Amino acid sequence: DQQVKQNSPSLSVQEGRISILNCDYTNSMFDYFLWYKKYPAEGPTFLISISSIKDKNEDGRFTVFLNKSAKHLSLHIVPSQPGDSAVYFCAASENTDKLIFGTGTRLQVFP
Amino acid sequence: NAGVMQNPRHLVRRRGQEARLRCSPMKGHSHVYWYRQLPEEGLKFMVYLQKENIIDESGMPKERFSAEFPKEGPSILRIQQVVRGDSAAYFCASSPGVRGADYEQYFGPGTRLTVT
C-alpha cells in the first residue's frame, strides 16, 4: 500500500529552466510534507517542508505547493542548476514523527 | 548531512551472522529514527526511539531485528542471523522531536549492509 507516490521515476531539464517534481498521497490525515534530495551513496538531505495549513512555502530557488483537495504536492526549482541533479523524495507524516516516503524521482539538469 | 554520524559505512556479513549498526544523532537531538532502503525503492520507516524508550516500532520485522537508544552512547540497530534479503542501505535520522520550526529529520550517510 503505497501511501505516497511519485509517478515520474525520472525528469530531465535544461539548466536555467524550471524543474517541477510531483507527488501524490492517499492518506488525508497527513499533516506535514517534506522534500529531500539524495545523491548516490549519501543520506537524504532536507530541502523544504510544508504544513497542511499552508498551500505554499518558498525558500530561495525551491518552492513547495500543496493542494489538499487533490492530495497533491509539487516541488518547483527555478532556475535549475546542474548541481540539482539528484534523486528527490517527497515524504509525509500523520501527526507523528514517522515519515512515509515516495519512491523518488531522478532529476537530471543538463547544460 | 547535518552532523548525524553512522558507522560503519559499509558492512559485509555472511548469512547467519549478526550485524550491528550504530547511529549518533545530531548534538541536541534526542529523537532517533531508523529507515531502510532496498535497491530501487524508497526509504521505509523501521523504528523511532527516544533515550531509553522505543516510541514506534511498527516498521520493524517481527523477528531478528531490534533497536535501542541507551542513556549513554549511540543508537544501535541489531540484526541477528542475517539473510540475503537484509542487504540494503540503513539510514538513521535525528530530530529535536518537537513539531515546529526545527521539526525536520536530518539523516546520516547510511550503512550499506551486504549479506553474502
Side-chain angles (χ1 to χ4, degrees):
Chain A
D1 177 26
Q2 190 69 27
Q3 297 186 70
V4 178
K5 300 178 184 179
Q6 293 176 257
N7 292 318
S8 297
S10 63
L11 175 67
S12 188
V13 172
Q14 189 173 30
E15 182 179 5
R17 302 268 190 169
I18 185 171
S19 295
I20 300 176
L21 297 99
N22 295 302
C23 181
D24 297 295
Y25 61 95
T26 58
N27 186 346
S28 58
M29 299 300 290
F30 285 146
D31 64 349
Y32 202 75
F33 304 88
L34 308 89
W35 283 95
Y36 285 85
K37 177 170 77 170
K38 187 180 181 303
Y39 294 115
E42 294 185 12
T45 300
F46 169 74
L47 281 176
I48 192 168
S49 61
I50 188 167
S51 164
S52 60
I53 62 173
K54 296 184 176 181
D55 54 20
K56 176 182 175 181
N57 189 26
E58 190 172 355
D59 184 1
R61 296 188 298 115
F62 302 93
T63 303
V64 56
F65 295 91
L66 176 62
N67 183 333
K68 288 187 291 293
S69 61
K71 295 192 181 68
H72 177 84
L73 67 155
S74 61
L75 175 67
H76 292 209
I77 307 172
V78 56
S80 302
Q81 300 173 354
D84 296 330
S85 298
V87 178
Y88 289 77
F89 291 96
C90 68
S93 70
E94 176 195 340
N95 198 33
T96 70
D97 292 306
K98 175 171 69 177
L99 294 181
I100 308 298
F101 280 85
T103 51
T105 296
R106 184 177 305 276
L107 172 65
Q108 183 179 4
V109 180
F110 60 94
Chain B
N1 276 328
V4 178
M5 307 290 289
Q6 287 188 251
N7 67 82
R9 293 292 307 273
H10 300 274
L11 183 61
V12 179
R13 284 287 179 266
R14 284 196 291 270
R15 279 178 297 169
Q17 290 184 320
E18 178 179 289
R20 282 186 176 237
L21 289 64
R22 295 174 183 77
C23 169
S24 296
M26 272 184 71
K27 188 175 182 180
H29 287 188
S30 58
H31 297 239
V32 165
Y33 316 80
W34 286 93
Y35 294 83
R36 175 166 67 174
Q37 184 180 26
L38 296 170
E40 306 302 322
E41 294 187 11
L43 283 77
K44 303 285 188 193
F45 169 79
M46 299 182 74
V47 63
Y48 161 35
L49 311 102
Q50 297 176 22
K51 284 286 186 180
E52 299 185 281
N53 285 306
I54 296 175
I55 306 302
D56 181 350
E57 56 181 349
S58 58
M60 287 278 270
K62 293 288 184 280
E63 297 177 349
R64 302 186 298 108
F65 284 72
S66 63
E68 63 176 4
F69 189 15
K71 187 176 180 182
E72 302 290 338
S75 175
I76 307 285
L77 179 67
R78 182 183 178 205
I79 311 173
Q80 296 178 289
Q81 299 176 318
V82 296
V83 300
R84 288 218 172 106
D86 297 333
S87 295
Y90 292 81
F91 293 98
C92 167
S94 74
S95 82
V98 177
R99 282 286 187 99
D102 294 321
Y103 164 73
E104 293 77 25
Q105 296 180 20
Y106 295 90
F107 282 79
T111 294
R112 273 137 193 93
L113 172 66
T114 302
V115 180
T116 61

